[in-house]
Amino acid sequence: MEGTVVRIRGAYCEVATPVGPFVCTLRGKLRKQLVRPLSFNVRPSVRRVRELKATGPVVVGDRVRVRPLDRETCVVEEVLPRESAVSRAAAGRKPLVQTLLAGLDQLVVVFAVRDPEPHLGLLDRFLVVAESATVQALVVFNKADLGVPDELTRAIAVYRQIGYPVILTSATTGTGLTELRAALAGKTSAFVGPSGVGKTSLLNALVPGLAARVGEVSRATGKGRHTTREVALVPLGEPGGGYVADTPGLRELGFWEVDKEALAEYFPEMRDYLGRCRFPGCAHLGEPDCAVRAAVEAGRIDRRRYQSYMRLRRD
Ligand code: GDP
Ligand code: ZN
C-alpha cells in the first residue's frame, strides 16, 4: 500500500493511506540509512554538503510503501523518490542541510492589506525562496475587510502581471475563502508570512478545529504534545482534499540562503532579459549596457521589484 507521511514522532510515523491512517515503524534497513543524497532541486553549490544526520530517512510529506501488520499498524518498507524537498541550512561547523518537508507543492505567502502594513520586500524574498525551491507561490492579502489601499492595489496588479496568483481574503468576513480553498485543493501547501497577518485565523476558517488538531495528543503512540519544531500535514478534507503543512521551521524561510549568482532567475519578469547584457557575468546592479536595467528604465520591469532584487543581491 502507498501512503503519505503526515507526522513523525520519534521512531514512529503516521501515514495516511487510501484506507485510513496508520502508525508505522521503519523497517530495520531503512533505520540505518540516516544519510541520504539531497534532492535534485537543491543547487549544485549546496548539493555537495551532506544532509543532517538527525533528519532521518523519512520526512513529513514523503510518499512511502507500507506493509500492514494489523488494523492500526504498519511497517514502512520503502521511501519513494522525493520529487521536491524543502531544506534549510542547519547551524554548525560544517555546512549541513536539514530537510524539513518533502512533496511541498505550494508556498502560500500571507500578508495583511494593513495592520500590519505589508512588507513587500519580504514578500519578494519569500517568492525568491519559492522559485529557488521550484514550488508554486500563492500570494494572499488578508484583512481585506479593512480596505485595500490604492498603492497596494497597484502592487497587486504588478504581481499578477508577473504571473503570481493573488487572492484577497478576510478571515473575519469570509471574503475570498472559497477562492483560497480552491487554490489549496489537491495540493500540499505551507503558509508563511509575518505574525499578526491572520495565518492562524485563515487556517482555522479553512479547517475548523485545526488548532486543536495540531496540538492533539497522539492516542496511538501515547506520546504527549509534539514539540514546536515538529512538522505535521493537516488534511483539508473533502471536497478537493490536499494538505496544509503546519511547519514552525518554515517561518524562518525569509532568512534562507539562495544562490546569489542565480538570483535574477528567481525574478520571473527578468528572465527574458538575462544573457542580453554586455557583460556575461552582469549582476544587473548598474553595469553599462545592462538589459535588465534598460527594461526597468523602459517600465517593462517594475522598479520596486528591481529594488528588491538589488537589496537581496547586496545582502
Ligand atoms: P498570525 O500571527 O498570522 O497567525 O495571525 P492571527 O491569525 O493570530 O491574527 C492576528 C490578529 O489579526 C488577530 O487579532 C485576528 O483576530 C486578526 N485578524 C485575522 N484575520 C483578520 C481579518 O481578516 N480581518 C481583520 N480585521 N482582522 C483579522
Ligand atoms: Zn545586466
Side-chain angles (χ1 to χ4, degrees), residues 273-274 276-279 282-293:
Y273 305 99
L274 303 179
R276 296 196 191 172
C277 305
R278 190 207 293 183
F279 300 111
C282 187
H284 326 299
L285 291 174
E287 294 90 335
D289 294 332
C290 170
V292 170
R293 190 71 160 233

Side-chain angles (χ1 to χ4, degrees), residues 76-100:
V76 176
E77 293 281 346
E78 188 188 352
V79 182
L80 302 178
R82 269 176 209 163
E83 281 173 10
S84 70
V86 173
S87 308
R88 68 167 168 199
R93 261 186 317 128
K94 285 186 183 157
L96 288 168
V97 172
Q98 181 182 23
T99 300
L100 296 169

Side-chain angles (χ1 to χ4, degrees), residues 106 180-189 191 202-203 205-208 210 213 233-245:
Q106 181 165 261
L180 178 56
R181 208 170 274 122
L184 300 175
K187 295 175 187 163
T188 297
S189 306
F191 280 53
L202 284 173
L203 287 169
L206 291 167
V207 192
L210 173 94
R213 212 159 175 165
L233 290 187
V234 181
L236 286 169
E238 295 306 323
Y243 291 97
V244 167

